[in-house]
Amino acid sequence: MGYRKIIERHSSDINNLAELLFKFTNSYRLLIGGASDLNSIALAKKKDVRDAIRRADELGEIIDELLEVIDYCNCAYFKYCKIKSDYINCKNNLNIIKTEVDEELSFFNEIEKKP
């Protein structure tokens, strides 16, 4: 398997982790909101409020671990992107790019002149 394919799969894994983080964060916010609601209800038992806070804390720990994993995984992906960009920048011929942009601008100018 080519290195590019490995990095594409790695990037996909990072995107999956980011999606998990989004879902866990939303769940965490809901758990905190639920605990707050319970706390404001006069009839709520203290045990129920403590249990709701404990669940939110447990999910918060999972979110912290997920952030560590994402941070760790990003290093390899960012390094790949930087190396690839450096290589592309070295290989790019500025004159070719300028010519390509000029041709595209000329093409659009011709289209605009037509009635």
Side-chain angles (χ1 to χ4, degrees), residues 2-82:
Y3 192 72
R4 178 176 173 79
K5 198 67 159 172
I6 291 170
I7 291 299
E8 285 175 355
R9 288 186 178 167
H10 186 65
S11 172
S12 176
D13 290 341
I14 292 172
N15 285 332
N16 290 338
L17 290 171
E19 187 175 323
L20 269 178
L21 178 63
F22 176 75
K23 290 176 181 178
F24 284 169
T25 303
N26 281 339
S27 296
Y28 180 78
R29 293 175 64 194
L30 290 171
L31 285 171
I32 293 295
S36 176
D37 289 347
L38 273 176
N39 194 36
S40 65
I41 297 173
L43 298 175
K45 297 177 184 174
K46 285 186 179 183
K47 182 185 179 309
D48 293 337
V49 175
R50 275 188 245 128
D51 287 345
I53 292 171
R54 181 187 46 77
R55 284 190 295 275
D57 284 344
E58 289 173 358
L59 185 56
E61 290 174 12
I62 293 171
I63 290 170
D64 290 342
E65 289 178 32
L66 186 55
L67 286 170
E68 287 178 22
V69 171
I70 291 171
D71 188 42
Y72 185 79
C73 292
N74 278 338
C75 292
Y77 183 68
F78 290 160
K79 184 182 263 186
Y80 168 80
C81 290
K82 185 178 180 324

